[in-house]
Amino acid sequence: LFRKHGINSELVLIANSSPTIQALVAGDIDVVNSTGSAPLNAALRGADLILVASSYNLMPYAMVVSKDVRSPEDLKGKPMAVGNLGGAVEAALLMTLEKLKVNPKDSPFIRTGSEAGRIAAVYSGTAAATVIAPPGLYKATSMGLKMYVDLGELGLKYPASVITVRRSQLNRDRPLIKKILMGFAEGLSLYKQNKKAATDLMQKYSRLSDQELVSKTHDYFVKHTSTVPLVDAAAITAALPAGKTAEKPSGDLYDNSVLQELIQERFVKQ
């Protein structure tokens, strides 16, 4: 789809958001598709970054709990498993606990690193709960952990899948960014309209061999994936660290103008 618009692209998978954003800031890569926390935090620290699209504006996680948890009362004061502090998982846990009227300050957060580590912590009883996105969510439930609440169904806003570029690059080469977003928007349309093609690509790049798991993951995400990936101001505000909203307006962190052009040109339909 990118070649269709004259772009010779190379897909590079970097396992962690922090080195991905560092590579973007350094100019080693030109476009990043990631969760919103890392680029927003970097921009708040002065990095030359701007979000230009967001295809998923809800928390893509569910809270999974140990078999002993039956009500929010059972979570009070219990440890919660996170990957690393300051990321999307911690933000998701904080939002969920607040929604359940459980004071996060009463629950220690245990850093476990990987998703597998979070699942293991709940399974062993070291932690009472964590949040997991598909396909890991379905692996966790197959092990006997309970899905307590789906954060997307709660309507919790969050920029879960954003496109970030350097602001200077957007100003210098706007036509290139526009072509990239044209390819991205067409990819989103394909994802929603052609499940077979979408799941084949998911299997190729995720290296998951379980077709049922891939199918369930697609079904989970496709419900709330936007084919007109405008950045959602409420989702951005929800992802900002406490106290940062007043210091830097969320509108300084994203730019929907390229996508608005595509809407006006009827390349995408709102």
Side-chain angles (χ1 to χ4, degrees):
L1 293 175
F2 289 126
R3 278 199 299 269
K4 174 182 173 182
H5 297 289
I7 299 170
N8 184 21
S9 62
E10 179 186 359
L11 182 64
V12 179
L13 177 62
I14 303 176
N16 192 289
S17 293
S18 295
T20 305
I21 296 305
Q22 290 169 10
L24 178 61
V25 171
D28 297 329
I29 53 179
D30 295 311
V31 182
V32 164
N33 183 198
S34 69
T35 60
S37 292
L40 286 171
N41 286 334
L44 288 169
R45 293 193 297 268
D48 177 38
L49 300 179
I50 189 88
L51 278 61
V52 293
S54 181
S55 60
Y56 203 93
N57 291 303
L58 292 171
M59 273 290 185
Y61 294 100
M63 173 178 273
V64 295
V65 299
S66 62
K67 59 184 178 182
D68 299 327
V69 175
R70 295 180 179 83
S71 72
E73 286 291 324
D74 296 328
L75 293 171
K76 291 182 177 180
K78 301 292 178 59
M80 306 288 155
V82 297
N84 292 293
L85 299 180
V89 171
E90 182 188 19
L93 268 171
L94 289 170
M95 288 183 186
T96 308
L97 291 173
E98 288 171 2
K99 196 79 172 178
L100 295 173
K101 299 186 175 3
V102 176
N103 189 345
K105 293 181 180 178
D106 295 336
S107 299
F109 281 21
I110 304 171
R111 285 185 284 182
T112 62
S114 67
E115 179 182 88
R118 300 203 308 276
I119 294 173
V122 179
Y123 186 78
S124 68
T126 304
T130 189
V131 291
I132 303 286
L137 170 62
Y138 302 119
K139 292 181 180 178
T141 54
S142 71
M143 294 169 60
L145 300 184
K146 294 188 297 185
M147 184 172 77
Y148 190 68
V149 64
D150 185 324
L151 281 59
E153 297 302 321
L154 288 178
L156 296 181
K157 290 276 191 174
Y158 187 79
S161 179
V162 304
I163 298 292
T164 307
V165 300
R166 291 183 296 279
R167 187 187 295 269
S168 56
Q169 183 184 25
L170 175 62
N171 294 334
R172 183 179 65 251
D173 201 350
R174 187 181 181 89
L176 173 63
I177 303 303
K178 186 173 183 178
K179 289 178 181 178
I180 290 169
L181 292 186
M182 290 167 74
F184 183 59
E186 287 186 326
L188 292 172
S189 181
L190 175 70
Y191 180 75
K192 294 205 77 162
Q193 295 176 15
N194 190 332
K195 181 175 179 177
K196 175 68 166 60
T199 52
D200 284 350
L201 285 169
M202 288 167 67
Q203 280 194 281
K204 177 181 177 181
Y205 289 106
S206 67
R207 297 179 181 176
L208 287 174
S209 59
D210 188 329
Q211 292 185 350
E212 183 181 359
L213 192 62
V214 173
S215 177
K216 289 171 69 175
T217 299
H218 175 271
D219 292 345
Y220 179 95
F221 283 110
V222 77
K223 292 182 295 183
H224 300 298
T225 294
S226 173
T227 53
V228 184
L230 292 165
V231 180
D232 185 319
I236 297 299
T237 299
L240 296 178
K244 292 294 184 180
T245 307
E247 292 179 22
K248 191 162 189 173
S250 62
D252 291 347
L253 302 170
Y254 67 91
D255 186 338
N256 275 327
S257 63
V258 179
L259 277 168
Q260 293 288 5
E261 284 181 22
L262 294 178
I263 293 170
Q264 291 169 7
E265 295 165 4
R266 298 187 178 178
F267 183 84
V268 294
K269 294 182 180 180
Q270 195 167 20

